């Protein structure tokens, strides 16, 4: 073999070894952290609190503003413990977590995030970026569904909202109605390329082709005839776009377009049903609980410990608090026990006027939405620009 070529291959081999050794070192570090974290431990509240007093400020990244309320009550319950809450979109949060891990800064202790696009189960958990911790005395009190790989705090459902001061009754019964001229320029959603609320709903329209075909025929009185082999779910989204679909930045924009205080707007929009809490602030908002082929999709909101978290005892204590402690009655759970949100605990009633089991909703197929996100984005960008 040529001497230069031999040297080249030796260098490649060395680089490969260095890379492998670096990865092994990282794995070893996380293994040591996991052992220290003792995520299967059964520490009492008193033991966790005492240990947490020697830790620093607990850092929580969240996609829900209600976590600020949880942090406030947590600090009152446990004097001396401090919490810093950072609000960000899911994609931004994941990027922050990855940067923290790469830089070994581990600035985040807890993540409050949904898994609609499979980011937790397909990315964060496999790469040691997020870990599940379930308090030992709550394990038999949690609702099944979604995934057993993460810990859910509550179940949220994106539903179609309307202004009850404008409409005397539910304005539609079938999603296909929104593709008609009557609803031109009147439908609002958050951007599905950035928002799990819109993306998971659209993703399930595409996956559930049989249901979309059935609801099409039910509404239009004829069978769906595909053009260029376009699936019914994608045709529905395309027709929405062509009918003047309004794509806005965030949920507050949707809420204000549909039901700003004092307004009588004919608009409708997709929001998490938990936004019904805005009714207390004067928003004349109501939701469509029953639509064909399904009214909405269930998206669990989850709390996970960040890999490498520095304040592990504070994190465990906070998870107990946000789930209402052993009996579910703690103040930390109260921000989530309201109309339009369903607790993940089986022993807590919650504040929703309708039981989830009695609604026409389905669980998000997280594996499907994860595997098909790129193809959806390609499809979306083709028709919305």
């Amino acid at each position: 073999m040529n001497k230069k070529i031999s040297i080249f291959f030796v260098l490649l081999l060395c680089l490969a070894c260095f890379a492998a050794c670096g990865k092994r070192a990282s794995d070893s570090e996380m293994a040591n952290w996991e052992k220290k974290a003792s995520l299967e431990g059964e520490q009492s509240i008193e033991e966790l609190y005492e240990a947490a007093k020697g830790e620093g400020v607990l850092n929580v990244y969240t996609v829900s503003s209600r976590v600020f309320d949880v942090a406030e009550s947590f600090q009152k319950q446990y004097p001396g413990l401090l919490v810093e809450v950072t609000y960000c979109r899911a994609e931004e949060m994941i990027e922050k977590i990855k940067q923290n891990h790469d830089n070994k800064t581990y600035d985040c202790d807890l993540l409050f995030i949904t898994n609609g696009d499979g980011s937790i189960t397909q990315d964060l958990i496999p790469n040691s970026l997020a870990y599940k911790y379930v308090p030992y005395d709550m394990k038999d009190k949690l609702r099944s569904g979604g995934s057993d790989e993460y810990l859910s705090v509550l179940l949220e459902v994106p539903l179609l909202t309307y202004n009850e001061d404008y409409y005397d009754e539910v304005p539609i019964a079938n999603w296909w109605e929104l593709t008609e001229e009557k609803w031109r320029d009147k439908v609002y959603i958050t951007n599905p390329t950035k928002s799990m609320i819109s993306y998971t709903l659209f993703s399930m329209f595409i996956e559930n082709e049989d249901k979309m075909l059935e609801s099409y025929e039910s509404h239009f009185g004829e069978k769906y005839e595909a053009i260029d082999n376009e699936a019914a779910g994608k045709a529905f989204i395309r027709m929405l776009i062509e009918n003047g679909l309004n794509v806005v930045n965030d949920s507050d924009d949707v809420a204000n377009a549909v039901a700003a205080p004092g307004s009588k707007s004919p608009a409708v929009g997709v929001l998490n049903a938990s936004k019904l809490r805005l009714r207390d602030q004067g928003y004349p908002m109501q939701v469509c609980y029953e639509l064909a082929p399904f009214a909405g999709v269930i998206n669990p909101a989850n709390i996970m410990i960040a890999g490498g978290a520095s304040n592990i005892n504070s994190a465990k204590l906070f998870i107990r608090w946000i789930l209402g402690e052993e009996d579910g009655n703690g103040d930390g759970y109260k921000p989530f026990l309201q109309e339009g949100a369903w607790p993940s605990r089986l022993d807590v009633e919650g504040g929703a006027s309708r039981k989830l089991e009695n609604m026409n909703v389905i669980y998000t197929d997280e594996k499907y939405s994860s595997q098909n996100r790129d193809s959806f984005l390609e499809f979306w960008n083709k028709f919305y620009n």
Side-chain angles (χ1 to χ4, degrees):
M1 181 181 291
N2 183 289
K3 185 175 182 181
K4 290 183 178 180
I5 295 178
S6 298
I7 294 173
F8 175 73
F9 277 110
V10 169
L11 288 173
L12 282 181
L13 182 61
C14 290
L15 288 172
C17 289
F18 288 147
C21 290
K23 186 178 188 305
R24 282 197 296 271
S26 177
D27 288 346
S28 176
E29 289 173 2
M30 290 312 300
N32 290 335
W33 177 86
E34 290 176 23
K35 183 177 180 180
K36 183 180 178 181
S38 185
L39 299 179
E40 296 298 325
E42 297 187 359
Q43 302 101 314
S44 67
I45 293 176
E46 292 74 22
E47 289 172 329
L48 289 173
Y49 184 27
E50 191 61 33
K53 290 178 182 178
E55 296 177 340
V57 177
L58 181 71
N59 287 289
V60 184
Y61 292 176
T62 178
V63 296
S64 171
S65 60
R66 283 169 286 177
V67 174
F68 287 95
D69 296 330
V70 180
E72 183 178 353
S73 63
F74 178 81
Q75 291 174 133
K76 291 179 180 178
Q77 178 71 13
Y78 298 105
L81 302 188
L82 299 176
V83 183
E84 181 175 326
V85 179
T86 300
Y87 178 84
C88 48
R89 291 181 181 273
E91 289 184 352
E92 180 185 359
M93 182 189 303
I94 293 169
E95 186 61 31
K96 284 176 176 284
I97 292 296
K98 289 180 177 179
Q99 289 177 355
N100 290 346
H101 197 266
D102 290 343
N103 299 332
K104 298 184 180 180
T105 54
Y106 305 120
D107 293 331
C108 176
D109 297 301
L110 287 170
L111 303 75
F112 190 90
I113 187 173
T114 62
N115 190 51
D117 64 344
S119 56
I120 296 177
T121 49
Q122 304 297 315
D123 190 2
L124 298 182
I125 292 176
N127 290 297
S128 302
L129 301 174
Y131 288 79
K132 176 182 177 181
Y133 168 74
V134 183
Y136 71 95
D137 51 1
M138 299 182 190
K139 290 182 178 179
D140 60 346
K141 301 175 181 179
L142 300 174
R143 185 192 298 261
S144 60
S147 171
D148 60 4
E149 295 185 62
Y150 49 70
L151 174 62
S152 298
V153 174
L154 75 155
L155 308 179
E156 294 194 301
V157 184
L159 296 173
L160 192 69
T161 62
Y162 64 93
N163 189 314
E164 64 179 353
D165 284 350
Y166 185 87
Y167 296 102
D168 295 330
E169 57 185 10
V170 181
I172 76 166
N174 189 313
W175 283 100
W176 285 100
E177 295 178 44
L178 299 181
T179 65
E180 298 178 326
E181 183 64 29
K182 174 185 176 181
W183 292 101
R184 178 170 294 279
D185 301 324
K186 294 184 178 70
V187 183
Y188 286 77
I189 64 162
T190 49
N191 192 329
T193 67
K194 300 177 181 179
S195 167
M196 288 301 102
I197 294 173
S198 301
Y199 170 64
T200 52
L201 181 62
F202 280 178
S203 177
M204 292 303 95
F205 283 144
I206 295 172
E207 182 188 20
N208 289 275
E209 178 72 2
D210 290 346
K211 293 180 184 295
M212 292 302 288
L213 290 171
E214 182 180 344
S215 60
Y216 179 96
E217 185 174 349
S218 173
H219 177 62
F220 291 109
E222 60 185 20
K223 289 189 176 183
Y224 172 74
E225 297 292 339
I227 299 176
D228 296 329
N229 296 317
E230 185 178 39
K234 288 187 175 181
F236 169 73
I237 298 170
R238 173 183 57 76
M239 292 165 70
L240 270 184
I241 295 172
E242 293 172 349
N243 206 33
L245 180 66
N246 295 285
V247 180
V248 295
N249 290 325
D250 56 39
S251 294
D252 288 339
D253 291 336
V254 177
N256 286 315
V258 173
S263 71
K264 289 188 176 182
S265 171
V268 295
V270 174
L271 286 170
N272 272 331
S274 59
K275 280 291 185 178
L276 283 171
R277 66 185 183 273
L278 292 176
R279 289 169 60 87
D280 295 336
Q281 300 177 29
Y283 284 71
M285 182 184 297
Q286 193 50 267
V287 298
C288 303
Y289 285 107
E290 300 295 332
L291 290 180
F294 47 83
V297 294
I298 302 171
N299 285 327
N302 318 296
I303 191 160
M304 303 288 288
I305 294 180
S310 303
N311 306 297
I312 192 68
N313 295 291
S314 301
K316 291 178 179 179
L317 206 57
F318 193 90
I319 288 175
R320 293 190 61 90
W321 186 245
I322 202 172
L323 281 169
E325 297 291 0
E326 181 181 0
D327 61 4
N329 294 321
D331 287 346
Y333 212 15
K334 291 181 179 178
F336 305 104
L337 305 181
Q338 57 193 234
E339 181 65 88
W342 293 266
S344 62
R345 293 186 60 140
L346 295 168
D347 57 340
V348 175
E349 187 68 25
S353 58
R354 293 203 182 196
K355 290 187 176 182
L356 202 61
E357 294 79 4
N358 297 330
M359 293 169 52
N360 182 26
V361 294
I362 61 173
Y363 269 97
T364 301
D365 184 336
E366 296 167 349
K367 183 177 181 180
Y368 177 90
S369 61
S370 172
Q371 293 177 343
N372 291 275
R373 184 164 175 77
D374 289 343
S375 62
F376 171 82
L377 293 177
E378 182 180 353
F379 159 77
W380 175 263
N381 291 329
K382 177 180 178 181
F383 294 100
Y384 186 86
N385 48 52

